[in-house]
Amino acid sequence: MISNLFNIDKEIIAITGASGQLGIYYTEKLLMLGAKVVSLDIKEHEIFDSLEKEYPDNFLYVKTNILDKSSINKSLTTIKNKFKDSPTVLINNAAKDSPPESSSKDNCSFEEYSEEQWDNVIDTDIKGSFMCCQVFGNEMAKNKNGSIINISSIYGIVSPDQSLYEYKRRNGDDFYKPVAYSVSKSGMLNLTRYLSVYWASKNIRVNTLTLGGVYNNQDKEFLNNYTNRVPMKRMANPDDFIGAIVYLSSDASKYTTGSNLIIDGGWTAI
Ligand SMILES: NC(=O)c1ccc[n+]([C@@H]2O[C@H](COP(=O)([O-])OP(=O)(O)OC[C@H]3O[C@@H](n4cnc5c(N)ncnc54)[C@H](O)[C@@H]3O)[C@@H](O)[C@H]2O)c1
């Protein structure tokens, strides 16, 4: 029925990095829409207690380190025990980024960027998503039903515009948006394409959702530079993305696989 097109009340949606800025927003909204939601994060968010009280049958937080496959496997067992079923949707949302206010060690020149930082970002963003796909995708393949949403960024499609950060360099800070985030986020695009083909016959859809920058108390100069560069002249808010998450979680996207849905106010159109 057309009125049920975007229904997600039969879905069990596992979100990695669900304690972060966007993950917590998705968690609350998907619960409101009737889905069962599993938060997989190394750290607990302060509102999880109240979500457990408000949605005792539909919400579950499972402390999970996506860099440890045994932790992901244990989480799957916990989810199956609670819901008597396995997740039908996996959102690979956890990531390590270095926002404008983070340390210059995380945001130095390409030449100075350390192996340690590289490994930290690439491992979390790519290896963590790869292992979650292995564990949860394998279950979806057995059940012949599933949707995987890999979260990417505009910086995974185009280079960061380093002129945005010129004001920091003028003030003596050797600040460049680092390479590892760009490389890991573009890796998500082909993790998606590979798995969309590999699991097509198992009725698992795999798509990338590429996001533009989100308001998060950035300093005034950064905000001016960013908003001047983006055609819609503003950064995103978390509510700009939830429609796409619901679309990719629901039957509305039943013939969508291997795609990249870009929500960036036009940033990558230039
Ligand atoms: N916020 C933005 O401006 C923006 C823009 C484009 C894309 N994105 C993407 O959206 C996603 C969410 O972004 P966000 O701003 O909410 O991030 P965030 O930094 O607020 O949250 C990331 C979460 O991931 C968790 N995490 C980190 N390592 C983990 C691990 N090993 N195991 C389990 N959990 C781990 C952290 O505890 C944290 O709660 C990311 O993939 C990010 O790259 C964000």
Side-chain angles (χ1 to χ4, degrees):
M1 263 213 324
I2 196 78
S3 57
N4 294 337
L5 199 56
F6 290 89
N7 264 11
I8 53 167
D9 55 12
K10 303 262 180 315
E11 309 303 333
I12 303 176
I13 304 178
I15 310 177
T16 69
S19 299
Q21 186 196 5
L22 296 176
I24 195 66
Y25 182 86
Y26 302 153
T27 300
E28 286 190 277
K29 298 301 172 228
L30 295 171
L31 284 167
M32 283 178 190
L33 291 169
K36 295 186 168 61
V37 180
V38 185
S39 158
L40 305 170
D41 202 301
I42 32 175
K43 65 169 200 248
E44 196 166 341
H45 193 280
E46 65 209 24
I47 71 159
F48 286 168
D49 280 348
S50 57
L51 290 181
E52 265 156 20
K53 285 190 190 107
E54 197 174 346
Y55 301 97
D57 298 330
N58 280 14
F59 176 70
L60 177 66
Y61 165 64
V62 197
K63 186 173 180 155
T64 309
N65 181 0
I66 61 161
L67 293 177
D68 173 359
K69 198 152 162 203
S70 68
S71 167
I72 307 171
N73 273 316
K74 265 193 221 146
S75 301
L76 177 63
T77 306
T78 310
I79 296 166
K80 285 164 86 173
N81 285 341
K82 161 120 182 145
F83 294 126
K84 311 292 170 231
D85 219 335
S86 42
T88 56
V89 179
L90 166 68
I91 307 179
N92 279 315
N93 168 75
K96 283 263 159 69
D97 187 13
S98 32
E101 65 281 6
S102 56
S103 82
S104 46
K105 184 171 130 275
D106 296 339
N107 295 283
C108 57
S109 67
F110 177 82
E111 292 84 347
E112 297 294 323
Y113 195 64
S114 72
E115 264 184 67
E116 189 196 350
Q117 287 302 96
W118 170 273
D119 288 346
N120 194 9
V121 173
I122 300 281
D123 277 1
T124 308
D125 298 12
I126 284 291
K127 191 173 165 190
S129 299
F130 151 71
M131 292 199 295
C132 288
C133 286
Q134 274 194 327
V135 173
F136 292 102
N138 184 33
E139 281 291 299
M140 291 173 180
K142 281 189 217 154
N143 298 333
K144 296 220 165 157
N145 175 37
S147 171
I148 297 175
I149 306 171
N150 290 321
I151 302 295
S152 185
S153 155
I154 49 174
Y155 288 173
I157 300 184
V158 294
S159 168
D161 181 348
Q162 301 291 2
S163 73
L164 252 60
Y165 311 99
E166 181 62 42
Y167 72 102
K168 285 183 175 275
R169 296 192 289 275
R170 262 199 318 272
N171 295 337
D173 200 354
D174 195 23
F175 191 106
Y176 291 87
K177 185 77 187 176
V179 64
Y181 186 70
S182 287
V183 173
S184 67
K185 287 300 181 187
S186 60
M188 293 300 250
L189 293 163
N190 239 22
L191 178 65
T192 289
R193 294 188 193 103
Y194 182 98
L195 289 176
S196 68
V197 174
Y198 184 78
W199 275 327
S201 65
K202 306 283 185 192
N203 194 32
I204 303 177
R205 287 136 40 227
V206 188
N207 292 286
T208 304
L209 182 57
T210 293
L211 312 179
V214 182
Y215 285 112
N216 192 13
N217 299 316
Q218 292 93 345
D219 66 62
K220 214 168 122 201
E221 271 186 279
F222 174 81
L223 280 175
N224 275 341
N225 294 345
Y226 189 100
T227 53
N228 280 334
R229 161 74 175 68
V230 71
M232 291 188 84
K233 298 293 173 214
R234 67 170 177 89
M235 295 193 83
N237 292 302
D239 67 353
D240 290 313
F241 307 136
I242 194 70
I245 297 273
V246 172
Y247 166 68
L248 292 172
S249 301
S250 68
D251 272 359
S253 63
K254 65 183 188 308
Y255 196 57
T256 306
T257 200
S259 79
N260 179 25
L261 181 47
I262 304 174
I263 303 183
D264 67 353
W267 181 284
T268 54
I270 300 178

